Amino acid sequence: MDARLVLESVGISNEMIQQSGDWCLAVPDDQVNAAFAELQSYRNDRLAETEQTLPPKAVVFGGAMAGVVYYAIFIGSVAVLADTSAYGIDWKSVGQMNAGDVLGGQWWRTITALTLHADAGHLLSNLVFGGVFGVLAGRLLGGGLAWLAIVMAGAMGNLMNALIRDAAHTSIGASTAVFAALGILVAHAMHPRYKTSTKALVRWSPLIGGVLLLSFMGLEGERTDVLAHVTGFVAGTLFGWIGCRLPEAWLANGSFQIVAGLITGAIVIGAWLLGAV
């Protein structure tokens, strides 16, 4: 029927007939070539429209799993060191985020607090969700850059939390960074590397989904620092907004990702060295 309408629209007479159980279009002998040309042009136009409406595939960058492995090893190691008071250090005392101390100049606590956990359950939860969101962020930004953004956004989230809280407030846990990773995913989804002509509701749906996940996962629990989760999410959205605008050639560069990963490790280790001395 589509083909018949196409031919009729350009004045080519045709008739539907049935042959061997199939429906066919019959046209006059002198209009066969013109009919084929019109139908081929119609198919080409439809194919072009389909290609324009299909969103381009997101580019996936390397190092996502490696980043998660290092994340798990690092916070697992800190948990063991803190539990055994290794080197005679009270790790939680020197590393926790204390609002008064942070605003008094001990900025490194915004980073060290991300690696501490209250108990095994707290640690396991952040390993699972941090691993999931970390892999997804790593696939979008590359493993090294993604974890640099996650750590920096987590630190910013803790700093924002300290600015709002009273001086005696303390908190620990990687969950601020975990929700920062969620914010990075939301920012990337809202501003894809290749823009598409989607409706406003579709463009804003990642933010709606991210807020719902934040509400479901980050606003419950007796010892949950809700504000830290919210500030981490906000900071992650900001870093994600920056990350998705970086040149694709940088993100695809293995050396760039390795350097970003080394900087991430140096920042965290450096923060602990400042706290321990």
Side-chain angles (χ1 to χ4, degrees), residues 29-51:
D29 291 341
D30 60 345
Q31 292 184 306
V32 170
N33 291 334
F36 273 119
E38 288 296 335
L39 292 176
Q40 187 61 46
S41 176
Y42 170 73
R43 293 190 184 98
N44 291 340
D45 290 342
R46 289 292 301 271
L47 181 61
E49 291 175 2
T50 302
E51 290 176 347

Side-chain angles (χ1 to χ4, degrees), residues 61-105:
F61 301 102
M65 286 304 301
V68 170
V69 170
Y70 282 116
Y71 161 72
I73 291 174
F74 198 94
I75 65 171
S77 299
V78 172
V80 173
L81 293 171
D83 190 56
T84 58
S85 298
Y87 307 110
I89 300 173
D90 185 347
W91 290 71
K92 288 185 179 179
S93 176
V94 303
Q96 66 185 357
M97 198 291 290
N98 178 276
D101 290 337
V102 168
L103 298 182

Side-chain angles (χ1 to χ4, degrees), residues 188-238:
H188 193 281
M190 289 181 63
H191 186 89
R193 188 167 295 278
Y194 304 101
K195 291 184 178 180
T196 56
S197 57
T198 54
K199 296 182 180 180
L201 181 60
V202 176
R203 290 197 303 270
W204 286 96
S205 61
L207 179 60
I208 297 171
V211 171
L212 289 175
L213 272 177
L214 174 64
S215 302
F216 178 73
M217 297 168 50
L219 304 185
E220 296 183 357
E222 184 179 349
R223 295 180 297 177
T224 299
D225 191 339
V226 174
L227 185 58
H229 293 173
V230 174
T231 54
F233 178 79
V234 172
T237 304
L238 172 61

Side-chain angles (χ1 to χ4, degrees), residues 14-160:
N14 61 87
E15 180 183 358
M16 292 180 63
I17 61 175
Q18 193 171 26
Q19 289 184 342
S20 303
D22 293 327
W23 285 101
C24 306
L25 287 180
V27 299
D29 291 341
D30 60 345
Q31 292 184 306
V32 170
N33 291 334
F36 273 119
E38 288 296 335
L39 292 176
Q40 187 61 46
S41 176
Y42 170 73
R43 293 190 184 98
N44 291 340
D45 290 342
R46 289 292 301 271
L47 181 61
E49 291 175 2
T50 302
E51 290 176 347
Q52 290 176 0
T53 56
L54 289 175
K57 294 182 179 179
V59 179
V60 175
F61 301 102
M65 286 304 301
V68 170
V69 170
Y70 282 116
Y71 161 72
I73 291 174
F74 198 94
I75 65 171
S77 299
V78 172
V80 173
L81 293 171
D83 190 56
T84 58
S85 298
Y87 307 110
I89 300 173
D90 185 347
W91 290 71
K92 288 185 179 179
S93 176
V94 303
Q96 66 185 357
M97 198 291 290
N98 178 276
D101 290 337
V102 168
L103 298 182
Q106 297 182 19
W107 56 267
W108 55 84
R109 289 179 178 269
T110 62
I111 298 172
T112 55
L114 299 173
T115 64
L116 292 168
H117 294 86
D119 50 42
H122 189 202
L123 173 64
L124 180 60
S125 173
N126 283 328
L127 276 173
V128 172
F129 291 109
V132 172
F133 293 150
V135 165
L136 295 176
R139 288 168 62 86
L140 296 176
L141 297 180
L145 182 64
W147 282 100
L148 178 59
I150 290 170
V151 169
M152 297 307 296
M156 179 180 285
N158 276 337
L159 177 59
M160 293 165 63

